[in-house]
Amino acid sequence: MEKKIRIDNGKLAFVDEVYIVADNIVTNLGFTSEENFDQVLSGYTGIKLLEDEQMAPEPFYASVIGREALYNRFSLIGNPDRYTRFEQLVLCSVHDALQGTNLNVADKRVLFVLSTTKGNVEQLGESGSLSSENKRPYLWQSGEIIKSFLRLHNDTLVVSNACVSGLVAILTGARLIRAGLFDHAIVTGADVLSEFIYSGFSSFKSLSQGPCRPFDKSRDGLSLGEGAGTVILSSRPDLNPKGEPIHVGRGFSSNDANHISGPSRNGEGLYIAIQHALRHFRGKVDHISAHGTATPYNDEMEAIAISRSGLQDVPVNSLKGCWGHTLGAAGIIESVAALHSIRKGMLPGTKGFQESGVSHPVHVIAETRTEKISNCLKIASGFGGCNAAIMFYR
Amino acid sequence: MKELIENLKNEIIESLNLEDVTPDQIEADTPLFVEGLGLDSIDALELIVLLEKKYGLKIDTAEEGKRILYSVRTIAENIIRSRNP
Amino acid sequence: MKESLHISNYCLIRNSHLITGQDHFFAGKETAFPDFIKETYRHFNIGYPKFFKMDNLSKLGFLAAELLLKDRDLNLDYGKDGTGIILANASASLDTDRIYQASIADRSNYFPSPSVFVYTLPNIVMGEISIRHKLFGENAFFIKQTFDPVFMVEYVKHLFENQIVACCITGWVEMDSERYEAVLFLVEKTGPLNNGIAIFDVRNVDDIYCLKL
């Protein structure tokens, strides 16, 4: 394979390598990656019993960001009355991630990739807004709003691929850089919790009675969450002079070809995605960041795919017990947590996990521990039979 | 009972979009899932919604679901039982 | 030297008409989408009862894929994970989102439907196509304001060059209230003998998309 070459300030550079040079997480555990990661290491969770009659007829467990907190945070960078909560989340996340990098976002070599499942769908709930004349819920419109706020040169690329959106967005950004089309990609994933999402998961009987318990014997469903995450990808590792750049490996997103809502029983789709992600990676996998939604079928399917891949002894965690399932943001938020695990040599435990409840042995870690790792395999699965896997490494 | 069974057949066909199925093709005792009508997990969830909406019959656990949603007859029996507890 | 990629077939659906690169043509009598798509399904004797459970977006993409892949077995030709599906549209699943939102608007009659909710994701159409044709390969769904042949061609070429796909179903499947259109391309390194319709490039893709129906 011929390598694409580019010249930077007189120096020769290969475009084959893509790095994460900056990142952010916004959830109700904090507005920066550091705040979030510290809280997670300390065993805190953002999941609480929520009483919100507008959202749900009965109380339920979820991780949501206080309206006022987000409003106040956003008012530092823009007028919160002009932007929806979804847009505020995205922009807060990007704005923080950009701090400390010397990236000129208006450059034509910068691409913005937005990952979301439902974007501004709650705008449909406003009276009279079901008409197609109401443009706010269109995801390309969210892309336009971001473009104009950040004064980007290029149109935003939106990925909407159910719960693997975040990983597909990272994969896409990295591929477009490798293809030589861009030098940098800001990849942000976000979803807000709404009546739309709550009622749907509830009708699917997917919600847990208490805070979710990934891979546990008594797991009974997922906890919903909301948040945003950002990774800034670049072919230039020196873009952020302070942080240690992490490599983005090649990855894959596959399909189960089995059922539009039920995960495959033999984990075939996820197994295929893992095989492709590892095809280009030499060395042993140190850590797996699982999707681990805590629904009986998802975790079982993941355990099968991990075990079939011969990775049953690799320490696995799921962080859904900390932030809930943040849908289009999850893949990015959890990837950011993985980067911080690599940098800090700390593996967060799986909140909610006590005793294994999957049929295939996997090494789920319950408690946070110190462990030097140099890479992480991130996996995810979602409705529509989609799966994705990607390697991050030093 | 007979009328209820006929009504249920029509409602099942309509709510599950079984376009090419006619009521007389559904036997009251044929299993609805897998081998019989070949319904799947989403159909089961949709049937639960239908039965609650139309007949006030609540199905709370998966075990209960399996038992009640076995065939059109088991659904009808449970509706009648729920009306005369 | 890079091998060129071919459009070995295409399927275009718009204004109650369907056309493929292998001369399948159907002019529907029905103008409303749900009637037209059902009529098309019957015309081509598809025989897949699950079709009737799908939402409009999935019906549109599924049917376009049926005609695109008529008499082909990609699983046999490229292995289970050799074929990718890369789709895009402008309205994501908003057409079904509106139906679902209307169903939860009234709390006194609050029965959210799981079979509607599951279709409130645009990538479900790729799931339906994957299930039907047993395809386990690369999947991605993008949202763009308008059909963007430049992005599509660049991205799909990159997938081929990096051996992520050996074959690809790509295109635009848009469904928004009364407005709908689908154009799918089957992209391969070599088209079937005498059937390589055109080189897969921006101009040919755009020409096919702009065919008047």
Side-chain angles (χ1 to χ4, degrees), chain A residues 143-196:
Chain A
E144 287 294 298
I145 290 166
I146 293 162
K147 180 184 175 184
S148 102
F149 187 94
L150 295 171
R151 300 177 199 278
L152 301 166
H153 178 87
N154 296 301
D155 286 347
T156 300
L157 177 64
V158 184
V159 173
S160 190
N161 218 107
C163 302
V164 308
S165 298
L167 294 192
V168 172
I170 296 174
L171 277 179
T172 306
R175 284 171 181 167
L176 293 172
I177 291 172
R178 284 195 179 104
L181 298 170
F182 300 94
D183 293 334
H184 320 282
I186 303 167
V187 184
T188 300
D191 263 304
V192 290
L193 192 51
S194 59
E195 184 189 16
F196 189 103

Side-chain angles (χ1 to χ4, degrees), chain A residues 70-372:
Chain A
L70 181 59
Y71 188 96
N72 292 340
R73 179 79 181 191
F74 186 78
S75 52
L76 302 174
I77 58 169
N79 178 356
D81 296 322
R82 292 182 52 201
Y83 294 89
T84 65
R85 287 187 80 237
F86 169 68
E87 294 151 8
Q88 291 177 21
L89 266 182
V90 171
L91 295 169
C92 280
S93 181
V94 182
H95 186 264
D96 178 66
L98 284 169
Q99 304 296 311
T101 71
N102 34 38
L103 181 66
N104 171 18
V105 295
D107 194 295
K108 66 180 195 308
R109 301 293 294 170
V110 175
L111 172 71
F112 192 99
V113 187
L114 175 66
S115 154
T116 184
T117 64
K118 298 311 310 163
N120 269 326
V121 78
E122 63 178 348
Q123 298 294 311
L124 290 180
E126 308 288 318
S127 62
S129 41
L130 278 179
S131 133
S132 55
E133 293 308 307
N134 173 20
K135 294 298 178 211
R136 206 74 176 236
Y138 287 83
L139 297 179
W140 55 261
Q141 179 66 15
S142 302
E144 287 294 298
I145 290 166
I146 293 162
K147 180 184 175 184
S148 102
F149 187 94
L150 295 171
R151 300 177 199 278
L152 301 166
H153 178 87
N154 296 301
D155 286 347
T156 300
L157 177 64
V158 184
V159 173
S160 190
N161 218 107
C163 302
V164 308
S165 298
L167 294 192
V168 172
I170 296 174
L171 277 179
T172 306
R175 284 171 181 167
L176 293 172
I177 291 172
R178 284 195 179 104
L181 298 170
F182 300 94
D183 293 334
H184 320 282
I186 303 167
V187 184
T188 300
D191 263 304
V192 290
L193 192 51
S194 59
E195 184 189 16
F196 189 103
I197 287 169
Y198 166 80
S199 63
F201 278 93
S202 169
S203 80
F204 255 87
K205 314 243 178 259
S206 303
L207 301 179
S208 61
Q209 292 297 307
C212 69
R213 313 192 62 173
F215 295 102
D216 193 77
K217 209 174 170 182
S218 63
R219 71 184 185 279
D220 65 343
L222 59 85
S223 300
L224 288 166
E226 64 180 7
T230 296
V231 288
I232 299 182
L233 310 179
S234 178
S235 57
R236 302 229 334 244
D238 57 343
L239 201 65
N240 178 357
K242 280 180 284 179
E244 180 201 351
I246 300 287
H247 293 254
V248 181
R250 287 159 202 266
F252 199 79
S253 89
S254 61
N255 201 287
D256 271 345
N258 172 62
H259 191 267
I260 54 168
S261 67
S264 105
R265 295 297 164 102
N266 60 7
E268 186 68 12
L270 183 55
Y271 172 78
I272 287 171
I274 293 173
Q275 297 315 302
H276 280 272
L278 295 182
R279 200 172 56 159
H280 300 277
F281 182 76
R282 291 195 189 93
K284 92 179 199 334
V285 177
D286 289 342
H287 170 45
I288 299 171
S289 168
H291 192 48
T293 58
T295 64
Y297 289 128
N298 175 80
D299 295 7
E300 173 69 12
M301 184 279 287
E302 271 189 296
I304 292 170
I306 290 169
S307 165
R308 276 182 67 188
S309 303
L311 301 171
Q312 63 276 5
D313 298 325
V314 178
V316 175
N317 65 8
S318 156
L319 301 180
K320 294 292 190 296
C322 307
W323 296 300
H325 192 348
T326 53
L327 308 176
I332 296 178
I333 290 178
E334 291 159 15
S335 293
V336 172
L339 311 181
H340 286 252
S341 300
I342 295 172
R343 287 189 191 131
K344 290 210 167 113
M346 296 284 281
L347 291 188
T350 302
K351 185 101 186 152
F353 173 82
Q354 282 173 338
E355 191 184 343
S356 175
V358 287
S359 70
H360 283 58
V362 278
H363 182 185
V364 180
I365 51 174
E367 302 295 332
T368 294
R369 67 191 202 200
T370 310
E371 187 163 332
K372 273 207 158 72

Side-chain angles (χ1 to χ4, degrees), chain A residues 117-118 196, chain C residues 55 93 96-97 100 116-122 124:
Chain A
T117 64
K118 298 311 310 163
F196 189 103
Chain C
D55 75 336
S93 57
T96 300
D97 294 359
Y100 183 78
V116 177
F117 181 70
V118 73
Y119 286 101
T120 62
L121 291 164
I124 300 294

Side-chain angles (χ1 to χ4, degrees), chain B residues 15-20 39-40 42-43 45-46 49 52-54, chain C residues 38 41-42 49-50 52-54 109 111-116 118:
Chain B
S15 81
L16 304 186
N17 295 312
L18 304 176
E19 177 85 6
D20 291 327
L39 303 184
D40 70 4
I42 303 178
D43 294 319
L45 292 164
E46 200 60 38
V49 174
E52 185 174 346
K53 191 171 170 179
K54 203 96 200 201
Chain C
K38 198 193 277 189
Y41 170 94
R42 302 262 186 236
K50 273 191 186 163
F52 296 103
K53 293 172 179 278
M54 297 177 195
N109 185 26
F111 295 99
S113 160
S115 63
V116 177
V118 73

